[in-house]
Amino acid sequence: MCKGLASLPNSCLERVKKLKARLGSILQRPDWCLSCCKIGQNKPNPDECYKWKESFEKLLSSKHGLCAFTAFLVSEFSEENIAFYFACEDYRSTKSAAQLPAKAQKIYDEFISTDAPHEINIDHETRDITKGNMAAPSPSCFSLAQHKIYMLMAKDCYPRFLRSPVYRELICQAETKTSKQEKKA
């Protein structure tokens, strides 16, 4: 029987909700919705699920894909990667130069600092370069660290997600939903 995200422990989905609440405005993207993680009518179709296999970028650009991938990262205890990535995206899009220092410090304290509560896994050199960039925050001050985390997710987390029971169950659910709709028609 297909279970999809319902097969994840409730604690994982709760951690996704807490992550969204904790990061607040960082994740206030129009396509970020936790309701897509719930079993119900708001499920991806099989074509959408199969597109996620085409590229990591296609997975991230899909609201269902992003939600499923985030839930997967939570289950793997590595949700800080996606949170950092989108925090950097939000930071880079900041239009007011006056807001950059405070936003930069918040991101640094949350993800980069050696005693950060959600420290990302980057090498010492990248950490030092990023720390140096904090002297004069610019829209690109986290670019190197963001690129490293993106590559980590693309080369490590993404392939594991595609092989995971969560992904296989989502495809199974989507195909079941589609076949039920076709039978009704």
Side-chain angles (χ1 to χ4, degrees):
M1 179 170 183
C2 297
K3 296 177 188 163
L5 293 175
S7 66
L8 287 173
N10 282 340
S11 61
C12 291
L13 295 176
E14 288 302 315
R15 286 179 62 207
V16 170
K17 290 176 187 175
K18 287 178 185 174
L19 175 65
K20 182 181 182 252
R22 187 177 70 237
L23 296 176
S25 64
I26 293 172
L27 293 178
Q28 284 184 351
R29 294 171 30 132
D31 58 344
W32 176 268
C33 79
L34 288 171
S35 62
C36 67
C37 291
K38 297 176 183 169
I39 302 304
Q41 293 184 5
N42 192 15
K43 296 178 194 171
N45 62 45
D47 291 338
E48 183 180 1
C49 291
Y50 287 123
K51 282 184 181 180
W52 302 344
K53 274 188 159 183
E54 293 174 14
S55 73
F56 184 53
E57 193 57 43
K58 286 188 180 183
L59 173 72
L60 293 183
S61 66
S62 161
K63 70 178 180 178
H64 293 103
L66 176 59
C67 189
F69 185 65
T70 301
F72 172 75
L73 290 177
V74 167
S75 75
E76 300 262 307
F77 300 99
S78 58
E79 68 267 19
E80 69 278 357
N81 294 328
I82 197 78
F84 173 72
Y85 177 80
F86 282 111
C88 291
E89 289 294 296
D90 177 68
Y91 175 79
R92 263 200 339 223
S93 68
T94 301
K95 303 225 185 297
S96 169
Q99 292 179 336
L100 290 178
K103 278 187 159 186
Q105 192 62 53
K106 183 175 180 178
I107 292 170
Y108 184 85
D109 291 344
E110 181 79 14
F111 301 106
I112 306 287
S113 171
T114 54
D115 59 347
H118 303 100
E119 184 179 356
I120 56 171
N121 185 12
I122 54 175
D123 59 89
H124 190 325
E125 183 180 349
T126 302
R127 190 176 310 281
D128 288 346
I129 290 169
T130 304
K131 186 176 184 178
N133 291 345
M134 293 295 293
S138 70
S140 64
C141 74
F142 294 107
S143 292
L144 179 60
Q146 183 185 22
H147 176 73
K148 298 268 183 167
I149 292 302
Y150 180 89
M151 294 309 294
L152 174 72
M153 290 189 300
K155 292 181 187 258
D156 181 46
C157 304
Y158 172 62
R160 279 196 332 253
F161 169 74
L162 293 177
R163 292 188 305 266
S164 73
V166 171
Y167 178 67
R168 288 193 308 265
E169 288 292 331
L170 277 170
I171 289 176
C172 182
Q173 269 189 344
E175 288 173 345
T176 301
K177 177 184 172 190
T178 302
S179 67
K180 284 181 181 177
Q181 289 173 344
E182 288 172 356
K183 286 179 183 176
K184 286 181 181 180

